[in-house]
Amino acid sequence: MKHIIARFILCAMFAVTSIQFVKAQTLANNETDSLKNSRNALVQVAYRKVPQSDLLGGISVVNIEDLMKKNYTNYSLDNMQAYVGGWNGASLWGMDGSLVLVDGVPRDANNVDPSEIEHISFLKSASAVVLYGSRASKGVVYITTKRGKAGESKVNVRANTGFNVSKSYPKYLGAAEYMTLYNEARANDGLLPTYSAEQIYNTSTGKNPYRYTDVDFYSPDYLKKAYNQSDVTAEISGGNQRARYYTNLGYYNQGDLFNFGQAKKNNVNRFNIRGNIDLAISDNIKAYVNANATFYNTRSAKGDYWAAASTFRPDRVTPLIPLSYLDKNDADSWNLMNNNSNIIDGKYFLGGSQIDQTNILADYYAGGYNQWTSRQFQFDTGMDIDLKGLLKGLSFHSMFAVDYATAYSLSYNNSYAVYAPTWANFNVTDVIGSLTKINSDVKSGVQNVSGSSDKQTIAFSGQFNYETSINKTHNISAILMAAGFQQTQSTVYHRPSNANLGLQLNYNYKNKYFADLGSALVHSAKLAPGHRNAFSPSVSLGWKLKNEDFLANSSVVNDLSLSVSASNLKEDLDINDYYMYDGFYKNSTSGDEVAWWGWCDGASEVSTQSKRGANKDLDFVKRKEYAVTAKTSLWKNLISAEVSFFTNKIEGLIVVPESLYPSYFSTYYPRSSFMSYANYNNQRREGIDLKLNFNKRVGEVDLTLGIAATYYQTKATKLSELNYEYNNMYRANKPVDGLWGLKCQGFYSADEVAAIDGTKEHPKQNFGTVKAGDLKYEDVTGDGIIDSKDQVYLGKGGWFGAPLTTGVNFTAKYKNLTLFALGTGSFGAKAFKNSSYYWVYGNGKYSEVVRGRWTPETAETATYPRLTTQSSPNNFQNSDFWMYKTDRFNLAKVQITYDFPKKMLRNFFLHDISAYVGGSNLLTIAKERKVLELNTTSAPQARFYNVGFNVIF
C-alpha cells in the first residue's frame, strides 16, 4: 500500500508541476483563442480534423464530453451501438479486428477513462481508413482525449459510488435430488445404485449437513447480495493563446461477491493520471505533449471459484466441519486440531477426503492469494509547423509516441491439510469418532513472481498538408504522409507492425460537389520478398444538395448530402502467421511422425518429411468495397438522419485449398503434405446502417430521441471444400458465421430402437449405442446412417455481432432536471446450449434442466434426454434440439440528473454542481432471458445502481 501511495504522490506532484509550468508560460492577458470555436466544431478523421458537416460518409462521431453530463459510465465504448450506426458493440460493419487509436496511437480502449475523452470517431468505410494502411483495414475507432481551452483555470471533480447486484445464479440440484437422479442414470445404464435410500433420506432432511454433505456454492454462506464499486476523478484545465493544459487524475475501486476466506479481500483498483499540454512556440510553430500513466492492481484468492462451482458435485466433500462434533474423548483428533494452522473463525476445520485432498472452498480459506499488477506508461508528442513562408496553405505535422506496459503476478502459495472424518452415532447424536489427516499445513512465506509480461509500442507519423481556395470556388486540400508503428511483446517473436505511405487529394466546388482520392502504399513482412508492398486506392464523391439553388431557401430541408465511395484495400490482418509462403520440412524422429527406412544391412535411417509446400506468390488479402451514404436535417433540426449502404468483399483469404490438389499430395500416416497455402477463400458482407435523431421542445421540456441500427449479412462466396458426396455438406454460399448441426426428431422409443436396421426409415447411429430416451436425428443424406454428413445449416451464429443491432437513447430535460434512458438490442442470431450446464452426463454436476428428463412415464412430455453415467455422444451433438435464439433488448441505462440552479452559486466559489442517480444493465427482454442472463463458469451478470455528483470549481 505504501508504494501505491508514494506513486500517487509522485504522479500528483507531476501533474501540479506541469500545470504550474504551463501557467508560467501563459501571457498576462487571457483572450480567448481565435481558433477555439472552429476547433470545437472539428472532428477527428484520418490524420486531420474537419467540420462534421463536411464528412462524406462512413464516419460517425460521438461527443463523449457532452454525453457524460447525463450518462455516467466508466468504459469508453459503453453502449456506443445506441449512438452509432455500423457499430454493433464489438465490430464495425460486421468485421472483427478494428484498430483502436487513442490520440493517433494504437492503444487499448479500456485504458482510457470516459472522463478523459472529448469525442470518439468511428471510421467504418474503407475510404475513411485507407490512409492508416493494412492494420486498419477492418475499421478504426479513434478516441480523442480532452485538451485545455483558453480561459480561466477550471477544476472538475466527479465522484460515484454504487453496488453491483447479481441478476441470476445457476440452479444446480441439491445433494439429495442429485443422488436420486444419479441412481436413475446408473439404472438406465444397467448399473447398481451408488447411493442408498438411507443416505438420500438423511441428506434430504438437512439435519446434519456436515455428515450428509449438501454444498451450495451460490448460497449466502459464500456470496454477498451486492458489492461496491466506486470512483473519483479530478480534471484541471486552463491556459490561453500561448499555452493550454489539461490534467486528469482518477481512482477506481471494485470489490467482489465473496464473503469468506481470502476472497473477502478480493478487489480491483486503478489509478490513472493524464497530462495534455499545448504550446504555441511561435506564430508558425505549435507543439503538444501528452503523457499518461495507469496503475492496475487486482487481488484475488487462489483458484477459479466459478469454474469449480460448475463442476463440483454437492455431495463430494464438506468444506467446513465444526469442532463441536469431535468426540471429546478422542485425544488423537484433538491433538490434530491443536496443531492445525487453519482453524476457521475459531470453530471450524477443513474437511476433505483421499479423493478430494483439496477443494476450491479450502483453497479460498488456506491456499493463499494472488496479486496481479499492471503498469502502463504512454507518451506522445507532436509538432505543427505552418510553412506559409514557403507556400501559402502548406503545413507540416508530426507525431512520435512511446508506450510501455508491464504486468506480473505475485502470490503466496500455501499447502494445507484437510481432515476426513469418521462419523458415528451415540445416543441418537452424530459425533466424529476419529479424523484422518491428509497433507500438511505449510506456509513458506515466500512471495512467488510469475506471469511477467511486457509490451512496448513505438509509433510515428509525419505529413505535409496543403489547403488552398481559388476564388472561393475551387477548394483544394491534400495530405502526403508516412506513418508506422511497431509493438514488441514478451513471448512474441515477430513484432506486430504497420508501415505505409499515404496520399489524399480533396476537392470541392463551391462546397457543392466533392471528390476525395485516397491511397496508401502498404508493407507487410508476412509475405515473401517481392510481394511485401501493395497499393490501396479509394475514391469518394459527394454532393451537398442543400447548397443547390433549389434547396438553398428551403424551410424544410436544413441539410442534405449524398456520397458514394469505392475502395480496394490491401491488408494482412487475415494472414495468420509469418512464413506461410515457405515450405516446411522436418526430420521424423518422434511420436506418430516417425518414418524410418532401412538398407539391406538392416540399419535404419530417419526420413525427412514435407509438412507443407511453398508458395512465394502469396499476396495481400483484399477488402473491396462500395458504399453509399445519405445525410439530412429537416425542419430546423427537428429530425436528422444518416443512412449508409455498404457491400464489401474480402477476397484472397489464405487457406490450404485441398480440393485443388491430387490426393497423393498428402498422407495421413506419417503425416506429410506437399500442399501449400494460397489466396483462395472469399467472403462478402453487405448491409445498411442508420442513425436518426429527433429534437423537440414541448412546453418547457426538451425532448431528444436517438435511434441507431445496423443490419448486415455475410456469405462465404468462395470456399475451399472437398468434393462432398451430399449437397447439404457444402458451406459455400452460406453465412460465414453459419451454425451447423443435426435435425432432431424427438426421442427414441423402445420400439424405434428395436427397429433400427440401417435403412432410410430406421437409420443406424454412428455416435454410439442408442437407447430409448436418446435423441433421434433425421437421416438427411438418406444413406441409412446418422453421422456428421447429416449436418445442415441451422442459423447465424452472430460471431461478428448479431445480424441486426439496434440502439435507442432518450433524453427529457425540464429546467434543471434531466432524465436519460438507453436501450440496446440484437436480433437474428442463434446459439447452442452446449455448456456443461446443459450437456450433463458421466459424473457431471446436475442442473435444473435434467428435471425434464425422459423416462418411460414422461415420454410424451420430456424436454431432456434420458440420464446416463456414460459419455452419451449421440445426445450431445450440436443440433436444433439444443439451439435457441439470442434475440434480446436490454434496458442498459437509466439516469436522473439534477443541475443546481446557477443563482444558488452566484456568490459561491463553485461554478456548477450536479447530482445524479442511475442504474445500468437493468432489464433484459427476451424469450430466452434466463439463458442469456446466466453465467456458469464466470462471475454472474450484475445490475449496477449508483449515485454520483459532479462539481466544477
Side-chain angles (χ1 to χ4, degrees):
M1 187 64 185
K2 290 182 179 179
H3 70 278
I4 295 176
I5 295 173
R7 288 172 176 166
F8 183 97
I9 294 171
L10 287 173
C11 291
M13 291 174 61
F14 169 78
V16 173
T17 303
S18 300
I19 294 168
Q20 296 302 324
F21 169 77
V22 173
K23 285 183 175 180
Q25 304 302 312
T26 58
L27 296 178
N29 66 71
N30 272 324
E31 296 179 358
T32 303
D33 190 333
S34 61
L35 296 178
K36 176 182 177 182
N37 293 331
S38 61
R39 190 168 82 167
N40 286 344
L42 300 179
V43 295
Q44 183 70 50
V45 295
Y47 295 103
R48 59 188 177 130
K49 290 188 175 183
V50 300
Q52 191 164 355
S53 59
D54 287 349
L55 297 178
L56 289 187
I59 301 174
S60 297
V61 180
V62 179
N63 189 318
I64 302 298
E65 189 171 10
D66 286 346
L67 186 60
M68 285 286 285
K69 295 175 183 177
K70 61 182 179 182
N71 179 24
Y72 154 79
T73 181
N74 53 31
Y75 174 53
S76 58
L77 301 180
D78 187 45
N79 294 313
M80 285 293 107
Q81 62 268 42
Y83 310 98
V84 178
W87 173 256
N88 58 27
S91 64
L92 292 165
W93 282 359
M95 297 177 294
D96 59 327
S98 55
L99 176 66
V100 176
L101 300 175
V102 179
D103 293 329
V105 184
R107 289 168 176 159
D108 296 327
N110 61 2
N111 194 52
V112 55
D113 192 84
S115 66
E116 304 173 60
I117 299 173
E118 179 184 301
H119 66 263
I120 303 177
S121 301
F122 294 82
L123 311 183
K124 299 171 285 189
S125 67
S127 61
V129 300
V130 61
L131 288 183
Y132 286 114
S134 174
R135 306 292 290 185
S137 58
K138 302 291 184 72
V140 169
V141 178
Y142 195 116
I143 298 174
T144 302
T145 61
K146 295 177 182 177
R147 313 207 68 79
K149 298 175 182 178
E152 295 182 357
S153 295
K154 183 173 71 172
V155 179
N156 188 349
V157 177
R158 179 189 296 270
N160 300 273
T161 189
F163 290 89
N164 290 280
V165 180
S166 299
K167 299 182 79 170
S168 69
Y169 292 135
K171 295 182 179 179
Y172 291 102
L173 302 188
E177 189 175 7
Y178 167 78
M179 293 173 177
T180 302
L181 295 186
Y182 189 77
N183 280 349
E184 179 183 310
R186 286 182 60 85
N188 290 339
D189 299 329
L191 303 173
L192 296 175
T194 297
Y195 303 101
S196 68
E198 182 183 6
Q199 282 180 285
I200 296 173
Y201 172 77
N202 288 330
T203 302
S204 68
T205 63
K207 288 177 62 176
N208 185 352
Y210 304 104
R211 180 175 185 178
Y212 302 100
T213 305
D214 189 359
V215 178
D216 179 4
F217 282 82
Y218 301 93
S219 76
D221 293 338
Y222 308 113
L223 304 180
K224 305 173 188 174
K225 291 184 178 180
Y227 59 96
N228 181 257
Q229 174 181 311
S230 301
D231 64 81
V232 60
T233 303
E235 301 175 84
I236 311 167
S237 63
N240 61 19
Q241 291 179 346
R242 281 294 182 188
R244 296 177 298 277
Y245 59 88
Y246 171 80
T247 300
N248 184 296
L249 297 95
Y251 180 77
Y252 168 92
N253 183 270
Q254 177 180 299
D256 209 339
L257 269 176
F258 303 109
N259 65 0
F260 73 100
Q262 289 288 345
K264 276 185 177 181
K265 301 177 183 179
N266 284 9
N267 71 88
V268 177
N269 63 75
R270 174 186 188 269
F271 172 72
N272 71 277
I273 179 169
R274 173 180 295 278
N276 292 348
I277 298 175
D278 295 279
L279 296 171
I281 298 173
S282 69
D283 291 342
N284 297 328
I285 301 176
K286 298 180 180 179
Y288 69 87
V289 177
N290 302 333
N292 179 67
T294 308
F295 307 96
Y296 292 92
N297 288 290
T298 300
R299 177 185 166 123
S300 59
K302 287 193 61 182
D304 189 337
Y305 184 90
W306 306 112
S310 69
T311 58
F312 204 86
R313 301 195 311 269
D315 66 313
R316 287 288 294 267
V317 66
T318 303
L320 295 182
I321 303 174
L323 293 169
S324 59
Y325 276 99
L326 289 177
D327 186 346
K328 295 180 179 180
N329 298 315
D330 183 8
D332 291 339
S333 294
W334 282 106
N335 184 52
L336 288 175
M337 290 300 100
N338 290 333
N339 292 283
N340 186 351
S341 300
N342 293 300
I343 300 296
I344 310 302
D345 296 334
K347 54 184 178 181
Y348 297 102
F349 62 89
L350 300 177
S353 67
Q354 289 293 345
I355 297 176
D356 294 302
Q357 298 187 10
T358 62
N359 62 78
I360 189 62
L361 297 167
D363 285 344
Y364 270 31
Y365 279 112
Y369 67 90
N370 296 315
Q371 180 169 301
W372 179 79
T373 298
S374 171
R375 303 289 184 259
Q376 301 197 36
F377 303 94
Q378 300 173 346
F379 173 85
D380 54 285
T381 183
M383 186 170 290
D384 303 323
I385 304 174
D386 192 336
L387 299 174
K388 60 184 178 182
L390 296 176
L391 177 65
K392 184 179 180 180
L394 182 65
S395 60
F396 176 76
H397 308 270
S398 65
M399 181 275 292
F400 176 76
V402 177
D403 293 355
Y404 192 69
T406 62
Y408 59 90
S409 291
L410 301 176
S411 65
Y412 288 98
N413 303 324
N414 301 329
S415 298
Y416 56 85
V418 295
Y419 300 85
T422 300
W423 290 90
N425 189 283
F426 297 125
N427 299 322
V428 198
T429 301
D430 288 334
V431 296
I432 297 174
S434 63
L435 288 176
T436 301
K437 181 180 179 181
I438 303 167
N439 298 326
S440 301
D441 295 324
V442 178
K443 295 182 180 179
S444 67
V446 176
Q447 192 174 50
N448 302 282
V449 181
S450 62
S452 297
S453 65
D454 61 81
K455 177 179 177 181
Q456 183 188 61
T457 300
I458 298 177
F460 74 92
S461 68
Q463 64 189 81
F464 287 97
N465 287 20
Y466 177 69
E467 294 183 9
T468 190
S469 180
I470 302 173
N471 299 326
K472 296 184 179 180
T473 300
H474 304 282
N475 304 300
I476 302 169
S477 65
I479 298 175
L480 176 63
M481 51 75 61
F485 69 84
Q486 187 173 79
Q487 294 177 328
T488 303
Q489 304 176 45
S490 55
T491 72
V492 177
Y493 178 74
H494 282 283
R495 301 172 180 175
S497 60
N498 184 66
N500 61 286
L501 301 173
L503 175 64
Q504 178 128 15
L505 302 173
N506 309 102
Y507 169 80
N508 77 70
Y509 176 74
K510 292 185 177 181
N511 284 321
K512 292 182 183 179
Y513 313 112
F514 295 77
D516 288 358
L517 299 175
S519 61
L521 180 64
V522 300
H523 175 84
S524 176
K526 292 182 177 179
L527 299 170
H531 297 271
R532 291 179 172 175
N533 300 318
F535 181 69
S536 296
S538 177
V539 60
S540 300
L541 301 174
W543 181 18
K544 274 197 171 184
L545 286 81
K546 174 58 182 175
N547 291 341
E548 296 288 358
D549 293 340
F550 59 84
L551 285 178
N553 299 316
S554 173
S555 60
V556 175
V557 180
N558 309 121
D559 187 29
L560 180 62
S561 63
L562 181 69
S563 63
V564 297
S565 66
S567 309
N568 185 356
L569 303 189
K570 312 303 189 302
E571 55 104 341
D572 65 353
L573 284 179
D574 290 307
I575 302 178
N576 297 326
D577 206 348
Y578 293 83
Y579 305 115
M580 295 176 71
Y581 55 83
D582 263 346
F584 175 39
Y585 300 89
K586 183 178 181 181
N587 286 333
S588 299
T589 58
S590 62
D592 62 352
E593 296 181 353
V594 174
W596 303 90
W597 58 278
W599 298 102
C600 57
D601 61 1
S604 296
E605 302 293 341
V606 113
S607 68
T608 297
Q609 293 174 249
S610 172
K611 310 302 289 184
R612 183 178 73 218
N615 179 7
K616 303 294 185 181
D617 292 327
L618 275 186
D619 205 351
F620 286 86
V621 179
K622 303 174 181 64
R623 174 186 174 185
K624 296 180 178 179
E625 182 177 275
Y626 305 94
V628 179
T629 299
K631 295 191 292 184
T632 188
S633 178
L634 307 172
W635 294 294
K636 297 182 179 180
N637 295 321
L638 174 67
I639 299 174
S640 60
E642 180 178 345
V643 60
S644 295
F645 301 88
F646 61 89
T647 296
N648 74 56
K649 301 175 182 178
I650 307 297
E651 296 185 350
L653 293 166
I654 294 178
V655 296
V656 177
E658 297 182 17
S659 59
L660 302 184
Y661 291 95
S663 60
Y664 51 78
F665 266 52
S666 66
T667 61
Y668 175 73
Y669 185 88
R671 294 180 300 185
S672 301
S673 176
F674 288 99
M675 299 180 185
S676 60
Y677 284 109
N679 298 95
Y680 191 83
N681 285 1
N682 296 338
Q683 299 176 358
R684 185 174 70 209
R685 288 169 174 79
E686 52 189 11
I688 179 175
D689 75 48
L690 171 69
K691 180 182 178 183
L692 290 172
N693 280 298
F694 302 88
N695 302 281
K696 179 68 175 177
R697 185 174 180 85
V698 180
E700 296 186 71
V701 181
D702 293 313
L703 301 174
T704 301
L705 177 65
I707 299 173
T710 306
Y711 177 77
Y712 76 100
Q713 292 184 329
T714 66
K715 181 181 286 189
T717 53
K718 185 179 180 182
L719 197 62
S720 174
E721 297 185 279
L722 299 175
N723 294 319
Y724 293 124
E725 184 179 356
Y726 303 102
N727 290 334
N728 63 288
M729 299 176 66
Y730 286 98
R731 304 193 177 193
N733 296 313
K734 294 292 193 301
V736 175
D737 57 345
L739 297 177
W740 295 74
L742 302 169
K743 297 178 69 175
C744 185
Q745 296 179 318
F747 301 102
Y748 273 112
S749 67
D751 291 340
E752 288 172 326
V753 171
I756 292 176
D757 57 7
T759 62
K760 180 175 175 58
E761 292 74 20
H762 304 288
K764 292 181 179 179
Q765 296 284 352
N766 238 20
F767 301 118
T769 303
V770 295
K771 296 183 178 180
D774 286 338
L775 296 181
K776 180 174 60 173
Y777 304 113
E778 180 181 342
D779 182 12
V780 175
T781 61
D783 62 355
I785 300 174
I786 301 296
D787 55 18
S788 60
K789 296 178 182 178
D790 293 293
Q791 292 184 351
V792 297
Y793 170 72
L794 296 175
K796 300 174 184 177
W799 302 342
F800 316 105
L804 174 62
T805 300
T806 61
V808 58
N809 61 88
F810 172 76
T811 305
K813 184 174 178 59
Y814 173 70
K815 295 184 179 180
N816 296 325
L817 195 64
T818 303
L819 169 66
F820 175 81
L822 180 147
T824 61
S826 58
F827 307 91
K830 298 180 179 180
F832 292 116
K833 299 176 185 177
N834 55 9
S835 70
S836 62
Y837 189 79
Y838 301 100
W839 284 10
V840 180
Y841 55 89
N843 293 323
K845 191 171 184 177
Y846 284 11
S847 67
E848 65 175 352
V849 299
V850 304
R851 289 173 175 157
R853 70 203 179 281
W854 184 97
T855 65
E857 295 75 25
T858 63
E860 299 299 323
T861 60
T863 58
Y864 195 84
R866 70 179 179 94
L867 298 181
T868 177
T869 60
Q870 309 301 315
S871 61
S872 190
N874 174 77
N875 291 334
F876 303 114
Q877 300 286 328
N878 283 339
S879 72
D880 55 1
F881 179 85
W882 301 108
M883 179 166 279
Y884 67 99
K885 293 181 179 179
T886 61
D887 297 350
R888 64 190 298 168
F889 182 81
N890 301 318
L891 179 58
K893 187 65 180 289
V894 173
Q895 180 172 309
I896 298 174
T897 305
Y898 180 73
D899 301 312
F900 287 81
K902 291 188 179 293
K903 62 183 181 181
M904 292 177 57
L905 309 173
R906 190 172 300 163
N907 299 317
F908 204 44
F909 66 95
L910 300 179
H911 294 172
D912 289 289
I913 304 178
S914 61
Y916 49 88
V917 295
S920 304
N921 198 21
L922 296 173
L923 176 66
T924 297
I925 302 173
K927 181 180 179 181
E928 298 284 356
R929 179 184 60 82
K930 291 183 179 181
V931 178
L932 296 170
E933 290 187 339
L934 181 66
N935 290 357
T936 56
T937 57
S938 60
Q941 300 175 39
R943 298 179 177 89
F944 179 60
Y945 304 96
N946 77 292
V947 296
F949 68 86
N950 189 43
V951 180
I952 299 177
F953 298 89

